[in-house]
Amino acid sequence: MNTNLMKSLPLGTSSFEKLRAVGQIYVDKTDKVYDLASQIGNFFLARPRRFGKSLLISTFESLFKYGLRDFHGLKIESLWKDEKKYQVVRLDFSEIKNFSSIQEFSIQLDSLLIGNFSSIGFSYKESKTLLCSTQISNWLKTLPIASLVLLIDEYDAPLTACLDNLKLFEEVRQKLSEFYSVIKANDAALRFLFITGITKFNKTSIFSGLNNLSDISLSPAYGSLLGYTHKEVQDFFSEYLSCASEKLGFEKEKLFKKLTVHYDGFCFEETAKQKVFAPWSLLHFFSAPERGLKDYWFESGGKPIVIVKYLRSHALRAPEDYGNEKSISLNALSGSADVESLSDVGLLTQTGYLTIKRIQGTTAYVDYPNLEVRTAMAQLYLEQILRGRTVEQVGAGEIAHLLATGNGESIYQNLNHFLRGIDYRAYKDFKESTLQSFIQIYFAGAGLRAKTEVHNHKGRSDLEVKAGLRHWVFEFKLVQKGESAEKKLREAEFQMVERGYGSTEDCFELKRMVIVFSLEKREFVKWSEVL
């Protein structure tokens, strides 16, 4: 297949005007754009990073500024009848991040507002008595009714930048409130207001002040507004799927299943029915399929700043919770959160590390959307478990390679290197489930899908994982001071054989390993492979 004849990928393109001008692939969601833009209203949408929020903002900007100029051949072309061109102000609050005081923040905020409002006729005058926000308010009152479109991208970026400094957070929140109060007071001038962000913080006067702001974040009507559905991937990227299939030697259907496991599974709406792919990851895969299914979403910018700031003053849940489904009330997901009471489950769901799996009554059950995010989450847990060090720094790298090619002795030694890097003072109530979770997180951080408590008709194994062409089954036993490690080892060997752990994995080389952990020595002390 001649890849030079294929339309180029919109990789990293956040300008709709540019995307259309250079002929990049555009996944046509303009019917949903029309549904929103045809209303005279104010909207808020929360989505994780790298999901195309900025491109959506740019799409609205082009539509209101230039009409259908950039929309030839798209769904909206036959729907949009508004021939009027509007004044558009686009504010990107991600430009305001590097500040250490309210004075620095205020200077950057005023500069952002003056620069963008000046482009449509606002004139700022230096004054000791009239604040920038006051001058903007006075100017807005002179505009014709419903003549201004205001687009605000990443509204919460300045707030998350100081999430670990409550005093500065409150000062920034108050300063932002002044601006949003101006917007509310001059609602008559607005034709359309659209605000995006990752998190939804309370007391910013966005959600309390702008009481006519419609939050569409959990709306089923807009569950696939950002992200790619299965049909969209197959319709718009069919040639790229075929190309990747040829390069990797997979049938197209098999490749699509692998992509689904790795990059799909994000659900943003309250019926838990619509799933979407992460665009950033999928586009990067299509751009270089020969690299395999890499973890692009997480690697693109590391942890989002809101996670970094949160973890400086909070801890993730206990390791035992890593592999468990979590729950949160729908009210907590749809309502605003105070920074003081921000929960880890709520934050991780908003940032995309957890996603809605099912709804039962008023409760949302959330879990990791796919293998890529499961790996990223394991890496967050590993940082906590190892006190900021990497597995390489504690001498425990290459576990995926060892499981795929190594022997029992090398794995036994490697696991002990990992366990010696853990500060057990933070995990005093140490149980077999704790050990299982440590190893599961370790394997998952290496990109492996490790499962604990795997059931068959006779019982359940402690942990199972596939690596290369092998399927490993682990049984862990704990011994206290004075107990016989050898006896525990023999008991576990008998248990593994008697209950047939892993016996259903016919297409893989079955490797079964029993390991005994000493609570006194805080390491594995015995091991054996069971044939």
Side-chain angles (χ1 to χ4, degrees):
M1 181 176 291
N2 187 350
T3 56
N4 293 325
L5 300 178
M6 294 158 58
K7 291 185 73 173
S8 62
L9 297 165
L11 195 57
T13 305
S14 58
S15 166
F16 179 76
E17 183 180 357
K18 174 185 174 182
L19 183 151
R20 298 291 288 170
V22 301
Q24 292 180 327
I25 293 174
Y26 176 69
V27 175
D28 189 358
K29 297 175 183 285
T30 56
D31 53 339
K32 293 181 174 62
V33 169
Y34 168 79
D35 289 343
L36 290 165
S38 60
Q39 302 178 55
I40 298 178
N42 308 321
F43 300 95
F44 172 76
L45 178 69
R47 286 292 184 271
R49 67 196 176 98
R50 301 299 193 187
F51 262 84
K53 296 189 295 295
S54 296
L55 179 59
L56 177 62
I57 287 285
S58 179
T59 306
F60 284 125
E61 181 180 24
S62 174
L63 180 64
F64 283 110
K65 252 187 175 180
Y66 308 116
L68 294 173
R69 186 194 71 178
D70 301 322
F71 293 84
H72 179 67
L74 301 180
K75 296 174 185 176
I76 199 173
E77 193 174 26
S78 62
L79 301 170
W80 188 252
K81 306 302 181 185
D82 188 350
E83 296 182 358
K84 185 177 178 181
K85 307 298 189 295
Y86 295 89
Q87 292 183 314
V88 178
V89 172
R90 178 179 175 180
L91 302 173
D92 183 357
F93 277 82
S94 68
E95 296 177 19
I96 309 177
K97 285 182 178 177
N98 300 316
F99 56 90
S100 57
S101 68
I102 188 59
Q103 290 77 20
E104 290 180 5
F105 171 74
S106 297
I107 291 171
Q108 292 187 48
L109 176 62
D110 287 352
S111 177
L112 181 71
L113 298 179
I114 293 167
N116 285 279
F117 278 98
S118 295
S119 67
I120 62 165
F122 169 68
S123 180
Y124 174 73
K125 295 179 175 58
E126 290 286 346
S127 173
K128 293 183 178 180
T129 56
L130 282 178
L131 298 174
C132 175
S133 57
T134 304
Q135 293 188 43
I136 289 175
S137 181
N138 293 338
W139 176 77
L140 288 173
K141 288 178 172 59
T142 68
L143 297 182
I145 291 175
S147 63
L148 175 66
V149 171
L150 180 58
L151 307 171
I152 301 176
D153 201 9
E154 303 286 3
Y155 93 94
D156 53 343
L159 293 167
T160 57
C162 53
L163 194 60
D164 57 342
N165 184 336
L166 282 180
K167 181 178 181 295
L168 183 56
F169 182 94
E170 290 298 333
E171 291 172 335
V172 169
R173 182 156 63 180
Q174 181 57 43
K175 186 70 177 176
L176 286 172
S177 294
E178 295 172 7
F179 169 66
Y180 291 116
S181 295
V182 165
I183 300 306
K184 180 187 178 184
N186 294 281
D187 180 66
L190 292 180
R191 160 66 176 82
F192 185 77
L193 169 65
F194 199 86
I195 302 174
T196 76
I198 295 176
T199 51
K200 189 176 177 185
F201 289 117
N202 201 1
K203 298 179 183 176
T204 55
S205 286
I206 303 176
F207 309 108
S208 57
L210 284 175
N211 50 19
N212 58 345
L213 190 67
S214 298
D215 185 353
I216 62 171
S217 302
L218 291 178
S219 169
Y222 303 108
S224 60
L225 179 59
L226 298 180
Y228 300 149
T229 66
H230 280 212
K231 188 176 186 306
E232 287 169 341
V233 173
Q234 291 165 335
D235 287 350
F236 290 92
F237 300 98
S238 177
E239 291 180 318
Y240 279 94
L241 278 169
S242 298
C243 180
S245 175
E246 290 178 13
K247 286 187 176 181
L248 296 177
F250 292 136
E251 292 181 1
K252 201 170 178 179
E253 185 177 336
K254 182 179 179 182
L255 173 62
F256 192 79
K257 287 181 179 179
K258 285 181 172 289
L259 292 174
T260 299
V261 169
H262 216 89
Y263 302 132
D264 187 39
F266 289 93
C267 178
F268 303 115
E269 50 85 23
E270 59 195 8
T271 68
K273 293 179 180 178
Q274 299 180 54
K275 304 286 192 297
V276 293
F277 281 89
W280 183 261
S281 299
L282 202 63
L283 293 174
H284 270 84
F285 168 77
F286 285 142
S287 71
E290 64 278 1
R291 296 189 65 209
L293 280 71
K294 299 291 185 181
D295 295 336
Y296 293 110
W297 183 71
F298 185 69
E299 291 176 355
S300 65
K303 297 182 291 294
I305 193 168
V306 65
I307 291 285
V308 174
K309 299 289 186 178
Y310 179 84
L311 290 180
R312 286 181 184 173
S313 54
H314 301 75
L316 290 171
R317 295 188 167 197
E320 291 92 337
D321 286 324
Y322 166 78
N324 298 333
E325 188 178 62
K326 286 86 174 167
S327 64
I328 186 171
S329 73
L330 274 175
N331 286 338
L333 277 184
S334 61
S336 305
D338 290 328
V339 63
E340 299 88 348
S341 59
L342 193 61
S343 74
D344 56 350
V345 173
L347 178 63
L348 291 170
T349 303
Q350 290 176 341
T351 52
Y353 282 83
L354 296 172
T355 200
I356 299 172
K357 292 293 185 178
R358 59 191 175 93
I359 303 293
Q360 189 171 331
T362 59
T363 301
Y365 291 88
V366 297
D367 204 344
Y368 311 122
N370 51 46
L371 184 58
E372 179 181 24
V373 179
R374 187 176 291 274
T375 300
M377 197 64 206
Q379 291 169 1
L380 287 181
Y381 270 91
L382 282 172
E383 284 189 22
Q384 179 171 300
I385 291 169
L386 299 175
R387 295 167 293 175
R389 292 177 294 171
T390 65
V391 291
E392 288 78 15
Q393 287 171 331
V394 299
E398 298 299 320
I399 186 59
H401 176 72
L402 287 177
L403 289 169
T405 63
N407 57 29
E409 175 66 29
S410 65
I411 291 166
Y412 168 76
Q413 296 294 346
N414 185 279
L415 291 178
N416 266 338
H417 281 303
F418 167 65
L419 292 170
R420 291 179 191 126
I422 297 173
D423 181 7
Y424 287 98
R425 292 171 296 182
Y427 306 99
K428 294 179 181 178
D429 186 20
F430 197 88
K431 305 183 289 289
E432 189 174 297
S433 60
T434 311
L435 181 62
Q436 290 175 12
S437 298
F438 281 150
I439 305 301
Q440 180 189 30
I441 290 167
Y442 177 33
F443 289 171
L448 302 170
R449 183 69 183 271
K451 298 179 181 179
T452 60
E453 303 289 331
V454 180
H455 292 251
N456 70 8
H457 67 290
K458 289 185 177 181
R460 57 189 182 190
S461 62
D462 284 340
L463 187 146
E464 298 191 18
V465 64
K466 290 180 175 66
L469 299 177
R470 291 175 170 181
H471 181 91
W472 283 90
V473 182
F474 290 90
E475 188 66 24
F476 304 117
K477 292 297 179 183
L478 271 60
V479 291
Q480 301 190 38
K481 185 177 181 180
E483 288 187 308
S484 170
E486 185 68 25
K487 183 180 178 181
K488 286 279 187 179
L489 187 72
R490 300 306 167 211
E491 289 174 1
E493 290 173 341
F494 177 79
Q495 178 182 331
M496 184 170 277
V497 173
E498 179 69 14
R499 298 181 181 177
Y501 294 156
S503 57
T504 59
E505 300 294 331
D506 296 333
C507 58
F508 285 83
E509 178 189 358
L510 182 61
K511 306 285 285 184
R512 301 191 291 184
M513 190 168 180
V514 173
I515 320 182
V516 180
F517 183 83
S518 168
L519 287 168
E520 180 186 9
K521 296 181 178 179
R522 295 289 186 172
E523 63 180 29
F524 289 123
V525 292
K526 288 278 184 179
W527 72 277
S528 69
E529 276 198 64
V530 178
L531 302 177

